[in-house]
Amino acid sequence: MSFKSRTLLFVICLFVVSNKLVATPKVKTIPIFNIQVDSLIEQQSIRNDMTQLELLVLYNDALKEKKPADSVNIFKKLAILNADLGQPEDALIYTEKYIKNTLDFSILNSEAYNVIRGSEAHKELSENYMLQIDWISFIFLYVALIGFFFTVIINFSKKANRCAKLFISGFVGVHSLFILEFVLYISNIQYRLPHTYLIAALTALLYGPFLYLYFKSVTYNFKFRTIDLLHFLPTLILIVYLFPMYSLSSNDKIEIMLEINNSYNINRYVIFISKVVSLFIYAILIGKFHYSRRKEEDSIKGKKPVNRWKKTIYAIHVIYLVSYIIYGLPVSGLMLSFPYFINYIQVSIMSVMVIYLAYMAYVQPEIFKSYSVGTSENTIPPLEKYQKSGLTNALSEELKGNLIRLFVEDKVFKENNINLEELSKRLNTTRHNTSQIINEHFNINFFELINKFRIQEAIRILKEDIHGSLNIIDIAYEVGYNNKVTFNKAFKKETSLTPSEFINMQIKKGLYK
């Protein structure tokens, strides 16, 4: 045999031997199309990991052979097998493929997933698809329920303006609905209740109108007119825009949530931009309306708590506007994502607002009353503690006259040690009667009455001091104050100016030489 023949024979033998060494077991060379994939587990006796590995190979091969329509069940088998074999990454891949093809989340109830519990893949599956009920979602849910309770119960109150009740309850209601939707979203309950998807979007443009109309209601006797319906026109347009999405089936909505169905592509930035514009416009309107009337409203004694309340609500509204912009930019796709906790900050601000509104409505129901600026017909009525007083109308008028004489002629307010007890002695009546006279006829308390006369006297002195020869502290002592700080606070509270600012204003007007 020649050298070439021997070499050729050696190569052939080497090739045969190598094929024998790397040959796969017969069980894995069975043509997959001859096996019913759904009955593989029934045909195989799964007693150990090797059998599961063999099945894993068979399913992977079957996935390559089967048509896409036949692959769904294989995804499920591969997901469970990979989970049972402790391969979390592959389990994640096939689980998501199965869920997105079937919308069936029950696969996650399989005990096989206990093997990969604690892995990053299982954590991702849990956060994305499994129910997530924790203390944060519970607190937000609790706040939403409080908000809904307030929305209903406030309308049964008889001590509040009807329009104010409706608008403030609507304002709280839309916030509560947003919080509820957020709870359903972070807990993945929305996959089980798909028709709750974007439920809060219907009310996205109601925040501003409700708050603005509430401010009008508690500022004067506001009566809702037909033209005021224009405030709700943008909401109607938004509902029409969203209606095709709301009319979709539950499966279609789940596919939208899973981002596997773009047949109805709702532009989130449309909702975001329109809501930001609405919040911004009404923030300006409310601010202009409120602050332009604040000085007039302060003249209505007893309404200062309402003004403080409105100022706080307005501040929270502005903070909410800023937080919503930060929250909405990444959600709408107009900017790169912010850290996820930003979402919680925004909802937390809404929750604080809801709790604050509900609490204040409980402890101060008078904040929902309306008062007319510039009139005395709608000032706060006397306190109930005076309704059963034995003070007759004739005696009341007599004491009122004596009280005015003490203040106007005798100028008792200049005495720095004057108090309600001393004033009652000079009126020759009881402390209770003196307090009642002041409240009934002046709609203020004793200290407010004293300060009012003292500041009016100080203004008179300042105007007469055309040469500016008097010091502020001298004027403070003259009208009955013991120190400059108290005088400055009382002066600014009454006139919205400090004594120095008042003097400068007089100089600008040319009243001082």
Side-chain angles (χ1 to χ4, degrees):
M1 183 179 294
S2 66
F3 175 75
K4 290 184 178 181
S5 299
R6 289 197 300 270
T7 302
L8 180 61
L9 181 60
F10 174 75
V11 172
I12 293 173
C13 292
L14 183 62
F15 178 76
V16 172
V17 172
S18 63
N19 276 341
K20 290 291 184 179
L21 291 174
V22 299
T24 55
K26 290 183 179 180
V27 67
K28 295 183 181 179
T29 61
I30 299 175
I32 197 67
F33 49 81
N34 290 331
I35 298 177
Q36 294 295 324
V37 177
D38 290 339
S39 62
L40 274 175
I41 293 181
E42 296 177 2
Q43 293 178 16
Q44 300 289 337
S45 177
I46 302 179
R47 301 295 183 186
N48 51 53
D49 287 349
M50 178 55 71
T51 306
Q52 288 182 311
L53 285 170
E54 289 175 347
L55 285 175
L56 192 62
V57 173
L58 288 175
Y59 281 127
N60 275 304
D61 290 342
L63 191 60
K64 297 176 183 178
E65 297 290 338
K66 289 287 180 179
K67 298 179 180 179
D70 301 323
S71 301
V72 174
N73 198 39
I74 302 177
F75 290 149
K76 182 177 182 179
K77 306 297 184 183
L78 286 171
I80 294 176
L81 279 171
N82 277 292
D84 209 17
L85 289 169
Q87 301 183 110
E89 291 77 13
D90 291 333
L92 169 64
I93 292 172
Y94 289 112
T95 302
E96 288 193 325
K97 286 184 177 181
Y98 174 75
I99 290 176
K100 290 183 178 181
N101 277 275
T102 64
L103 308 182
D104 178 17
F105 300 93
S106 63
I107 185 177
L108 297 171
N109 297 328
S110 173
E111 294 182 358
Y113 289 94
N114 292 332
V115 178
I116 61 172
R117 189 178 300 276
S119 65
E120 288 298 320
H122 187 271
K123 182 180 179 181
E124 185 175 343
L125 284 172
S126 178
E127 291 178 351
N128 291 342
Y129 307 109
M130 299 175 69
L131 292 179
Q132 299 287 310
I133 306 297
D134 54 19
W135 65 272
I136 296 179
S137 58
F138 177 79
I139 290 176
F140 285 145
L141 176 61
Y142 185 68
V143 171
L145 294 178
I146 290 177
F148 289 131
F149 176 77
F150 168 84
T151 300
V152 175
I153 205 67
I154 189 62
N155 287 286
F156 290 97
S157 173
K158 296 180 180 180
K159 298 181 179 181
N161 175 278
R162 182 180 179 183
C163 288
K165 290 187 299 184
L166 288 173
F167 296 136
I168 199 65
S169 64
F171 183 69
V172 173
V174 294
H175 278 84
S176 301
L177 187 63
F178 187 98
I179 296 171
L180 176 62
E181 184 184 349
F182 184 75
V183 171
L184 298 177
Y185 170 72
I186 63 174
S187 61
N188 291 327
I189 295 177
Q190 218 166 39
Y191 291 131
R192 281 74 182 174
L193 302 171
H195 288 301
T196 62
Y197 178 62
L198 290 183
I199 53 172
L202 285 172
T203 62
L205 305 183
L206 290 176
Y207 297 83
F210 277 143
L211 188 60
Y212 175 71
L213 293 173
Y214 166 73
F215 268 68
K216 291 185 67 175
S217 298
V218 295
T219 301
Y220 53 84
N221 286 329
F222 171 76
K223 292 183 179 180
F224 191 82
R225 300 167 298 173
T226 304
I227 193 172
D228 292 314
L229 290 172
L230 291 176
H231 289 286
F232 303 99
L233 181 59
T235 297
L236 180 61
I237 296 173
L238 181 62
I239 291 174
V240 173
Y241 172 72
L242 293 175
F243 181 77
M245 190 277 297
Y246 286 116
S247 62
L248 295 175
S249 67
S250 58
N251 285 345
D252 288 334
K253 291 180 180 178
I254 294 176
E255 289 178 353
I256 292 175
M257 286 186 273
L258 293 174
E259 298 181 351
I260 58 178
N261 180 4
N262 295 320
S263 59
Y264 182 75
N265 185 21
I266 178 173
N267 293 322
R268 288 180 175 270
Y269 68 85
V270 172
I271 300 176
F272 168 69
I273 293 177
S274 59
K275 183 174 179 179
V276 169
V277 171
S278 175
L279 291 173
F280 184 75
I281 290 175
Y282 280 99
I284 294 175
L285 291 176
I286 294 169
K288 184 178 180 181
F289 178 80
H290 174 57
Y291 287 102
S292 65
R293 295 175 176 270
R294 186 174 61 178
K295 188 174 181 179
E296 295 177 277
E297 291 177 339
D298 285 342
S299 65
I300 302 178
K301 300 305 179 181
K303 199 183 176 188
K304 290 183 180 179
V306 179
N307 292 336
R308 288 195 298 269
W309 147 267
K310 292 196 297 180
K311 183 178 179 181
T312 303
I313 293 300
Y314 179 67
I316 296 177
H317 177 72
V318 173
I319 294 172
Y320 170 70
L321 169 59
V322 175
S323 68
Y324 180 74
I325 293 174
I326 298 174
Y327 156 81
L329 284 173
V331 172
S332 63
L334 296 177
M335 185 176 287
L336 296 177
S337 297
F338 285 100
Y340 191 72
F341 72 86
I342 293 295
N343 298 343
Y344 288 89
I345 292 177
Q346 194 242 354
V347 178
S348 296
I349 293 173
M350 299 182 74
S351 300
V352 169
M353 179 183 289
V354 169
I355 294 297
Y356 177 71
L357 287 167
Y359 172 75
M360 291 299 292
Y362 176 75
V363 300
Q364 283 189 300
E366 66 271 14
I367 59 180
F368 298 108
K369 295 180 180 179
S370 61
Y371 310 101
S372 295
V373 175
T375 67
S376 59
E377 297 178 357
N378 295 293
T379 52
I380 297 178
L383 300 177
E384 293 183 2
K385 64 180 180 179
Y386 298 129
Q387 291 181 353
K388 297 181 180 180
S389 172
L391 194 63
T392 64
N393 290 335
L395 181 57
S396 176
E397 289 296 327
E398 180 183 347
L399 290 174
K400 174 189 173 184
N402 292 337
L403 180 66
I404 292 175
R405 185 173 62 255
L406 284 172
F407 274 82
V408 176
E409 297 179 6
D410 298 343
K411 298 185 184 297
V412 294
F413 58 84
K414 286 188 174 184
E415 302 173 14
N416 57 22
N417 61 346
I418 190 69
N419 54 41
L420 185 61
E421 190 69 35
E422 179 63 26
L423 184 62
S424 301
K425 289 180 181 180
R426 299 189 187 189
L427 287 173
N428 195 26
T429 187
T430 65
R431 179 190 177 104
H432 181 82
N433 285 347
T434 303
S435 179
Q436 179 177 346
I437 293 300
I438 295 173
N439 278 272
E440 284 185 347
H441 294 286
F442 299 96
N443 292 316
I444 53 179
N445 59 40
F446 167 77
F447 295 104
E448 290 173 326
L449 182 65
I450 289 291
N451 283 329
K452 187 177 183 65
F453 273 89
R454 283 176 175 176
I455 299 305
Q456 291 301 320
E457 180 69 11
I459 292 174
R460 184 189 66 77
I461 294 174
L462 285 170
K463 287 182 176 180
E464 291 180 355
D465 183 30
I466 59 175
H467 297 288
S469 58
L470 294 176
N471 293 324
I472 292 177
I473 186 62
D474 295 331
I475 299 174
Y477 290 146
E478 173 68 19
V479 298
Y481 289 102
N482 292 318
N483 58 76
K484 185 178 178 180
V485 174
T486 305
F487 174 60
N488 284 343
K489 287 183 178 179
F491 196 97
K492 186 169 185 178
K493 188 176 182 180
E494 190 69 28
T495 65
S496 299
L497 297 171
T498 64
S500 298
E501 291 172 342
F502 181 84
I503 292 172
N504 291 333
M505 185 177 67
Q506 297 296 105
I507 294 174
K508 290 179 180 179
K509 290 180 179 180
L511 300 178
Y512 284 1
K513 295 181 180 179

